[in-house]
Amino acid sequence: MSHSARFLGIAGSLRQNSYNFQLLEALQKSTAQEQIDLEIYQGLSTIPLFNEDMRPVEKRPAAVLNLCEKIENADGVVIATPEYAQSVPGVLKNLLDWISISPALNEKPVAILGGTTGIWGTRYAQASLRHTLVAMGAFTMQRPMVFVNDIKSQLPTPDQPISPDLEQRLNAFAHGMKKWVRLHAKD
Ligand SMILES: Cc1cc2nc3c(=O)[nH]c(=O)nc-3n(C[C@H](O)[C@H](O)[C@H](O)COP(=O)(O)O)c2cc1C
């Protein structure tokens, strides 16, 4: 694939200054170097609670249809998850439940990463997310894995640049995203 790839980035947090949202913003610098255009999804707060009564397409919320269209139009998806109680936050699982009743993520290349303020760096949350994505038929990138512990001290701020370690890991991750999309390119 010589042309640039398009990714939709989803952060699994509604928090105003979400570190995982910031992680996707930091990733944008690395993806740009790989000719990946990474759009960060802004609509998580507009996704209603899932209710199977709304499964018929004509009953699905406009925000959900819009999200599925964004995913279908992207070459790949990247999800940055926080960790809540050793799993994915409910808001992210809720979004995935909506997507799971559409074919949007089926055979879609997906890359996952995440960060916590603690020491474990989303190991359980990513394992749980990977499991859900397998159930949805997504092609989930195996490596490189990016678990960011103590994320607060690693992200860039107005006073300090991104930590060299995180920058190097995000560069490798973006390179992996490009290769992963190329591997699963549809004719
Ligand atoms: C309800 C709740 C549960 C949490 N559980 C975990 C956990 O199990 N493991 C962990 O490493 N951090 C846990 N944390 C800390 C979060 O990883 C941390 O708040 C992180 O910054 C959230 O991501 P965000 O900044 O993108 O919103 C928890 C935080 C909350 C609010």
Side-chain angles (χ1 to χ4, degrees):
M1 192 186 297
S2 57
H3 68 276
S4 65
R6 282 180 305 162
F7 267 76
L8 182 69
I10 299 171
S13 174
L14 293 172
R15 204 167 70 79
Q16 188 144 33
N17 295 313
S18 160
Y19 295 126
N20 285 280
F21 196 96
Q22 292 179 48
L23 187 59
L24 288 180
E25 290 179 326
L27 179 64
Q28 278 177 319
K29 293 208 173 64
S30 306
T31 51
Q33 291 166 20
E34 298 287 341
Q35 283 77 51
I36 294 173
D37 177 15
L38 172 55
E39 175 194 347
I40 305 179
Y41 180 61
Q42 308 276 346
L44 183 60
S45 66
T46 68
I47 303 292
L49 286 177
F50 179 74
N51 179 342
E52 202 186 345
D53 290 339
M54 296 167 87
R55 179 190 277 267
V57 176
E58 66 276 12
K59 290 193 177 174
R60 282 184 214 166
V64 171
L65 295 176
N66 174 268
L67 170 62
C68 289
E69 195 181 319
K70 278 181 181 293
I71 292 172
E72 275 158 15
N73 289 336
D75 299 303
V77 173
V78 55
I79 301 176
T81 185
E83 181 165 295
Y84 283 1
Q86 299 193 347
S87 189
V88 293
V91 286
L92 178 57
K93 183 58 166 60
N94 181 62
L95 175 145
L96 292 171
D97 288 343
W98 275 115
I99 299 173
S100 75
I101 60 166
S102 85
L105 274 181
N106 189 43
E107 300 190 353
K108 180 70 68 175
V110 178
I112 65 176
L113 75 170
T116 67
T117 48
I119 61 172
W120 297 108
T122 69
R123 297 187 89 85
Y124 284 114
Q126 286 194 45
S128 174
L129 177 58
R130 188 175 293 277
H131 181 88
T132 298
L133 289 167
V134 167
M136 294 170 70
F139 294 139
T140 311
M141 186 170 83
Q142 287 108 355
R143 288 171 192 266
M145 297 181 189
V146 174
F147 303 103
V148 189
N149 65 317
D150 190 17
I151 190 169
K152 193 176 172 184
S153 73
Q154 302 214 55
L155 286 167
T157 67
D159 303 324
Q160 100 189 359
I162 187 170
S163 82
D165 177 60
L166 181 57
E167 183 175 38
Q168 185 262 320
R169 285 197 287 159
L170 291 181
N171 285 344
F173 189 78
H175 189 64
M177 286 164 64
K178 188 67 184 285
K179 275 170 53 181
W180 195 245
V181 158
R182 196 180 293 141
L183 197 63
H184 297 292
K186 289 192 174 137
D187 297 330

